[in-house]
Amino acid sequence: MILALLCVLCAGLLHGPFQAHAADVDELMRQGRDAMAEGRLEDAEAAYLAVPAPGAGDQEDEGEYASARMQVARLRLAREDYDGAVQAARDVLAHFSGHAEAKNLIASIERDRMPTWERFLKDCQRFLPSLLSGAAMTLLLVFCTIIISPVGGLIIALGRLSSFRVLRMPCWFIIWLFRGTPLLLQLFFIYYGLPSLGITLKPLTAALIGLGVNYSAYLAEIIRAGIESIPAGQMEAAKALGMTYGQAMRRVIIPQTYKRLIPPVANEFTALIKDTALVSTIAMVELMRAADQMFNTYFNVTAIILAGVIYLFFTTVFTFIFERIEERVGVYEKR
Amino acid sequence: MKNADATPLIECRNIRKHFGEHAALDDVSITVDRGDKVVIIGPSGSGKSTLLRSMNFLETIDSGEILFEGKPAGYRTVNGKLVLDNQKNLCALRTQIGMVFQQFNLFAHMTVLGNVMEGPVTVLGQQKAEARDLALEMLEKVGMADKAERYPATLSGGQKQRVAIARALAMRPKLMLFDEPTSALDPELVGEVFEAIKKLALEGMTMIIVTHNMGFAREVADSVAFMEDGRILLKDPPAEFFGKDCEQPRIKSFIDRIM
């Protein structure tokens, strides 16, 4: 009974002053707005700062206090009083712990005041996970193409060198077609064009077909040139021993092309690492697409720079590996 | 040392070969018996090499007939036209005919031993160990066994040519064709290759040698043939060929020029 009475009393007591208080708040907010409109920024800040913190259970003025303090924070930020701005935002958070705008303001101020290297590290931490999973997809595309294209290239090259027209013409056609049109166009056709012919492919399948055939066509010409660069006497000597054409190719001619093939093939494969970026246009999330997504979400160029560094790392490792292979393969030519 | 078998080992009958308008072989016939050593001489462009390469089917003839051990070899007649036989038959023939080239044509990516083992292993299907013993034996014969692990690029011309001879011998051929075997060599290296071929001749190998080296012709040959403009003008034993009574002035002037 006494408790209930106390409650009613308290309610009455609290209600009285707060009616007047609410009126003050409206007045102060109006003063602030007017001062802002007239460019009296210091007066505006003073008015907004005077808006009192809401009491417990007071619902109506919550919004007013928060927006007033946020105005204070912005005004302080505008005159580069970062500590003050952060303090104002913290005031808001002290009463409304979920206030997103206040949080963002503090975060962005803290980020701006961070040393460059620390900010860069933070960005790396944020972007690397998705960039690395994109890079894994890029590597998968590169490795599959490196396995597919030399086989395809060799078949097309041998077809080109064949004495049978029925083999020579289609191989010539493949090289003509795939070297003569942009890879981007080929990828578009395979992924977006083939469905209209009733063939629908998954992005990865379409990407591997596009890269595989395109690189086979390029490697075919390199391999053909390599085979033709081997002196004719080698083939004659092999034939004179009684070897078949296949045996002569496998045992004598092709092994001697390896050393000559490595520099131009290394060149092609380095280009391949970068060309995989083109498949980002057919719904594949690889390194370039991942970087692009990060950039568009955060408008932060660090994502692009990081992707560049990863590409450079890949091409550097490749170049190194191919140099080692070249050293090993050519032993017999050293005197 | 001649084999009792009367059938010639290889016989070319009226073979013709044209490169465009030019007649490289113009109705050439030649018979080589087992154990024969035939030396073919003549000015360059006379068709010597073409004839030799035709016997190994590296060059395709336009008309005529080639018989190996009495049987028509290397060609089929389709609609009255001469067509090269299928690969299987050609390969089987070539395993019996060794060839040594002017430019050696050693397999650059294989060691000396690898070069000599290659034919027996890849073509004849011999076991590696067996082929290795055979290869070393052949290299011993040409005096190259101590260089077995070297690569061709590290050898002199004369050494390369001796390896090439060993490579051909490892196939145990019935006939050896030498296409100007010493023409690409420095003069001081000719002797070692000449010795290797002479040794082979003394063992009774049947061989046809295209050369400008008259020493070969005098010391090794059973008969010497002179070619010019795609024809064999004369084929005689060396004593008669080089004899003073050589009637054809063109041959005489050629021999005089060379010697």
Side-chain angles (χ1 to χ4, degrees):
Chain A
M1 188 63 196
I2 295 171
L3 205 76
L5 197 73
L6 258 170
C7 281
V8 171
L9 213 107
C10 282
L13 270 171
L14 283 169
H15 200 244
F18 266 84
Q19 283 294 21
H21 176 75
D24 287 348
V25 169
D26 288 341
E27 174 62 15
L28 286 167
M29 292 301 282
R30 197 184 51 75
Q31 283 175 16
R33 272 195 298 278
D34 291 349
M36 287 284 279
E38 289 163 28
R40 292 179 286 112
L41 298 181
E42 278 172 32
D43 291 347
E45 189 182 331
Y48 284 128
L49 200 55
V51 173
D58 189 344
Q59 296 298 314
E60 270 179 68
D61 295 331
E62 274 181 10
E64 298 293 7
Y65 173 72
S67 58
R69 280 295 149 128
M70 286 311 293
Q71 282 288 40
V72 172
R74 279 184 216 110
L75 284 164
R76 286 175 177 173
L77 188 60
R79 59 179 166 85
E80 293 177 6
D81 174 10
Y82 297 111
D83 289 327
V86 168
Q87 185 52 53
R90 289 227 170 99
D91 287 346
V92 175
L93 287 175
H95 290 88
F96 313 107
S97 59
H99 201 281
E101 209 188 335
K103 276 186 191 166
N104 281 345
L105 190 80
I106 293 171
S108 86
I109 289 172
E110 279 178 349
R111 191 174 173 282
D112 283 347
R113 298 168 83 193
M114 246 179 232
T116 316
W117 63 268
E118 200 179 321
R119 203 188 313 165
F120 180 73
L121 278 184
K122 271 258 162 70
D123 287 344
C124 289
Q125 223 172 18
R126 187 150 47 136
F127 299 140
L128 269 181
S130 31
L131 287 181
L132 285 180
S133 70
M137 178 53 79
T138 293
L139 270 190
L140 176 74
L141 288 165
V142 168
F143 276 115
C144 289
T145 310
I146 283 181
I147 290 165
I148 296 168
S149 58
V151 178
L154 180 61
I155 292 169
I156 298 171
L158 290 176
R160 276 273 274 153
L161 292 168
S162 168
S163 47
F164 299 109
R165 217 179 134 81
V166 271
L167 290 177
R168 217 164 48 227
M169 290 312 289
C171 293
W172 175 87
F173 179 78
I174 291 171
I175 293 171
W176 175 74
L177 184 66
F178 283 89
R179 288 204 319 170
T181 53
L183 175 56
L184 187 59
L185 184 148
Q186 293 161 19
L187 290 168
F188 268 47
F189 180 77
I190 293 167
Y191 186 63
Y192 297 114
L194 286 185
S196 66
L197 301 175
I199 306 166
T200 306
L201 298 166
K202 291 197 181 98
L204 181 61
T205 320
L208 283 179
I209 291 175
L211 289 170
V213 179
N214 185 275
Y215 273 82
S216 292
Y218 274 97
L219 290 190
E221 285 298 86
I222 293 173
I223 293 171
R224 182 180 64 87
I227 289 173
E228 286 182 338
S229 77
I230 303 301
Q234 295 286 311
M235 178 55 100
E236 291 195 338
K239 279 186 176 172
L241 279 179
M243 285 194 199
T244 61
Y245 179 80
Q247 286 171 332
M249 275 292 169
R250 204 178 68 246
R251 296 285 308 164
V252 176
I253 307 298
I254 291 169
Q256 290 190 58
T257 64
Y258 293 159
K259 177 162 172 83
R260 295 159 201 231
L261 291 186
I262 285 163
V265 167
N267 216 17
E268 285 299 313
F269 286 162
T270 312
L272 165 67
I273 294 174
K274 296 171 288 165
D275 273 357
T276 54
L278 291 173
V279 308
S280 62
T281 56
I282 58 164
M284 287 285 297
V285 183
E286 40 61 74
L287 182 51
M288 186 62 221
R289 181 66 169 271
D292 189 41
Q293 284 174 345
M294 293 293 108
F295 179 71
N296 280 328
T297 311
Y298 297 99
F299 291 104
N300 188 323
V301 82
T302 309
I304 305 288
I305 292 168
L306 279 178
V309 170
I310 297 174
Y311 277 119
L312 261 179
F313 174 73
F314 285 167
T315 51
T316 307
V317 169
F318 256 65
T319 310
F320 179 79
I321 291 172
F322 272 102
E323 276 170 5
R324 291 295 91 76
I325 295 175
E326 194 181 346
E327 277 170 19
R328 284 198 185 180
V329 167
V331 192
Y332 63 85
E333 282 184 17
K334 293 207 180 82
R335 277 162 191 276
Chain B
M1 265 230 203
K2 276 196 181 178
N3 197 303
D5 190 345
T7 318
L9 182 61
I10 192 162
E11 189 179 355
C12 300
R13 287 185 186 159
N14 310 104
I15 60 174
R16 288 174 191 275
K17 167 77 184 177
H18 285 260
F19 291 115
E21 288 292 296
H22 174 67
L25 295 176
D26 187 6
D27 196 20
V28 174
S29 295
I30 186 170
T31 304
V32 179
D33 289 323
R34 285 166 213 272
D36 265 3
K37 294 119 189 69
V38 178
V39 167
I40 303 174
I41 60 171
S44 64
S46 60
K48 314 180 296 286
S49 286
T50 310
L51 175 61
L52 202 70
R53 290 160 57 82
S54 300
M55 293 184 194
N56 207 6
F57 315 102
L58 287 177
E59 213 72 76
T60 314
I61 58 172
D62 299 334
S63 66
E65 199 177 10
I66 296 172
L67 294 102
F68 190 76
E69 297 186 305
K71 290 188 284 280
Y75 294 89
R76 289 171 295 141
T77 311
V78 178
N79 300 329
K81 269 185 77 180
L82 219 51
V83 177
L84 210 56
D85 208 350
N86 66 47
Q87 180 171 255
K88 192 173 161 237
N89 291 343
L90 285 180
C91 289
L93 278 167
R94 284 176 182 146
T95 58
Q96 304 176 65
I97 304 170
M99 181 134 185
V100 174
F101 300 87
Q102 181 178 355
Q103 296 297 337
F104 330 126
N105 297 346
L106 290 182
F107 303 138
H109 60 307
M110 297 179 188
T111 60
V112 163
L113 188 65
N115 266 276
V116 184
M117 284 170 65
E118 186 59 26
V121 172
T122 302
V123 180
L124 303 179
Q126 279 184 19
Q127 293 300 310
K128 286 233 168 113
E130 189 190 345
R132 193 187 158 84
D133 291 343
L134 174 67
L136 286 171
E137 186 191 325
M138 294 305 155
L139 286 171
E140 192 67 55
K141 193 177 269 187
V142 297
M144 288 296 294
D146 57 326
K147 305 277 196 305
E149 298 305 328
R150 298 268 289 268
Y151 280 99
T154 66
L155 302 178
S156 74
Q159 291 172 329
K160 283 183 197 169
Q161 195 60 298
R162 286 188 281 150
V163 173
I165 293 170
R167 177 175 68 178
L169 289 178
M171 297 296 287
R172 303 244 184 242
K174 295 174 178 165
L175 171 67
M176 284 287 286
L177 306 174
F178 293 89
D179 187 5
E180 306 206 19
T182 56
S183 298
L185 299 177
D186 292 336
E188 74 270 24
L189 300 177
V190 170
E192 59 190 75
V193 173
F194 184 28
E195 285 307 313
I197 297 174
K198 205 162 96 180
K199 198 166 154 193
L200 205 58
L202 291 174
E203 287 174 13
M205 176 65 78
T206 311
M207 52 177 74
I208 305 172
I209 308 163
V210 168
T211 185
H212 289 125
N213 187 321
M214 291 303 148
F216 270 156
R218 286 180 186 282
E219 283 191 49
V220 176
D222 297 318
S223 60
V224 182
F226 180 82
M227 277 190 84
E228 189 167 49
D229 298 330
R231 292 163 172 274
I232 294 179
L233 297 185
L234 182 72
K235 181 170 178 266
D236 271 328
E240 289 161 43
F241 190 93
F242 294 107
K244 293 221 161 47
D245 54 341
C246 182
E247 280 154 25
Q248 305 214 28
R250 302 183 71 172
I251 301 175
K252 193 145 182 61
S253 79
F254 175 76
I255 293 168
D256 289 344
R257 233 178 315 131
I258 291 234
M259 311 225 294

